[in-house]
Amino acid sequence: MIPVQAFLIVSAVLFAMGLFGALRRSNAIMVLMGIELMLNAVNLNLVAFARYLQGALVGGQVFTVFVITVAAAEAAIGLAIVLLLARKRRTIEVPDIHDLKG
């Protein structure tokens, strides 16, 4: 059996990579990918603790499904916004997008 510490280490590495990608990248799609990576790190933590506590935390698995659903909706809306910006302004670089007012 893999110890829970291994899951926590992998999750921390994934979260750090996602945070780095979300903060350092200027491409909007790469920022979205960084956010998705951070959400998946959280999901890994929730599943690891649910398995470690064996039945005491069934809510962890349920909450993971909820987070996956929210992440899918976030990705769909984010990609739709990026696609709209790419069509209107011909760029998806975050520093080039100054105003999002109507």
Side-chain angles (χ1 to χ4, degrees):
M1 183 171 168
I2 300 173
V4 72
Q5 290 86 4
F7 290 110
L8 295 179
I9 290 170
V10 171
S11 176
V13 170
L14 281 176
F15 192 86
M17 289 171 43
L19 186 63
F20 179 77
L23 294 179
R24 288 292 295 171
R25 296 292 183 158
S26 62
N27 189 325
I29 292 177
M30 297 302 285
V31 171
L32 284 175
M33 289 177 64
I35 292 170
E36 291 294 325
L37 203 56
M38 288 190 292
L39 288 174
N40 284 329
V42 170
N43 287 339
L44 183 62
N45 260 347
L46 289 172
V47 171
F49 279 119
R51 178 162 167 79
Y52 178 70
L53 297 176
Q54 294 183 353
L57 191 61
V58 177
Q61 295 168 346
V62 172
F63 199 64
T64 299
V65 171
F66 178 73
V67 170
I68 289 171
T69 306
V70 170
E74 175 258 336
I77 292 172
L79 288 175
I81 291 171
V82 169
L83 183 64
L84 183 67
L85 286 173
R87 285 185 182 168
K88 292 250 181 197
R89 301 187 183 211
R90 302 284 181 207
T91 183
I92 55 172
E93 298 296 319
V94 174
D96 295 339
I97 304 166
H98 299 290
D99 54 330
L100 292 177
K101 295 179 184 174

